[in-house]
Amino acid sequence: MSQNLALFLLPAEEKFDRSNWVTFKMTITEAVRSRGLLGYLTGKIKNAVRGKGDYDTNGMWMQHNIYARSMVTLNVLNLVGAGVQMDGSTADAWHSLVGLHNARPDLGLLHAEEELGTIRYSDGTSIEAHFKAMQTAWAKANNQGAGINDRQF
């Protein structure tokens, strides 16, 4: 891995906002995997000084751990609200997110479907804005696992 790493930053609309967990989880996992850092995310690669598992030299581990953790933390809109553990390793931060947000997919799904169902067009307003709001809510619902296809939409 190169010593000079560019930050991995998602566009603002793709950052984790607690309504897009499924998509965010997949994006971060693949981005970390493509950079050869998945072991830091899962906790398989540990600091040689700290514990058991696949070891890395301390200096290399620190650099890779900080980079991998930044891939997670810099792509979350509200770290405290999302429940991200900020001290510790990449795996600690990631597991805090996974543990909290994998446990609540049904609540997020219900909220997203409700949001989609409450959108109504008002006469005199922009039809384009209405379609955009519908498509955004549809995407959020599907990101939560709704499985709403074109025909149902």
Side-chain angles (χ1 to χ4, degrees), residues 26-58:
M26 194 168 41
T27 300
I28 293 298
T29 302
E30 289 308 311
V32 169
R33 182 189 324 269
S34 72
R35 287 160 177 81
L37 299 171
L38 189 60
Y40 294 88
L41 192 69
T42 63
K44 185 177 180 187
I45 298 176
K46 298 187 184 311
N47 188 340
V49 178
R50 288 184 63 195
K52 299 177 181 177
D54 289 347
Y55 293 110
D56 200 347
T57 60
N58 191 42

Side-chain angles (χ1 to χ4, degrees), residues 17-152:
D17 63 4
R18 297 190 314 179
S19 71
N20 60 342
W21 170 243
V22 175
T23 303
F24 176 78
K25 179 180 166 186
M26 194 168 41
T27 300
I28 293 298
T29 302
E30 289 308 311
V32 169
R33 182 189 324 269
S34 72
R35 287 160 177 81
L37 299 171
L38 189 60
Y40 294 88
L41 192 69
T42 63
K44 185 177 180 187
I45 298 176
K46 298 187 184 311
N47 188 340
V49 178
R50 288 184 63 195
K52 299 177 181 177
D54 289 347
Y55 293 110
D56 200 347
T57 60
N58 191 42
M60 183 77 72
W61 185 88
M62 290 293 287
Q63 178 187 8
H64 291 178
N65 180 64
I66 290 167
Y67 180 69
R69 189 174 61 211
S70 76
M71 292 177 71
V72 174
T73 59
L74 294 176
N75 288 297
V76 175
L77 290 177
N78 179 350
L79 294 167
V80 174
V84 179
Q85 181 180 336
M86 292 302 298
D87 56 340
S89 68
T90 302
D92 295 335
W94 185 246
H95 291 277
S96 66
L97 275 172
V98 169
L100 185 60
H101 297 285
N102 272 356
R104 297 190 298 167
D106 292 339
L107 182 59
L109 175 59
L110 289 173
H111 177 69
E113 288 178 331
E114 180 182 346
E115 181 182 335
L116 177 60
T118 60
I119 296 174
R120 301 285 183 260
Y121 176 73
S122 300
D123 286 335
T125 61
S126 166
I127 191 73
E128 290 83 12
H130 173 70
F131 286 154
K132 177 71 174 165
M134 291 285 294
Q135 290 171 333
T136 300
W138 179 32
K140 281 184 180 180
N142 281 335
N143 282 339
Q144 292 292 329
I148 303 168
N149 63 31
D150 285 341
R151 185 172 174 209
Q152 294 167 321

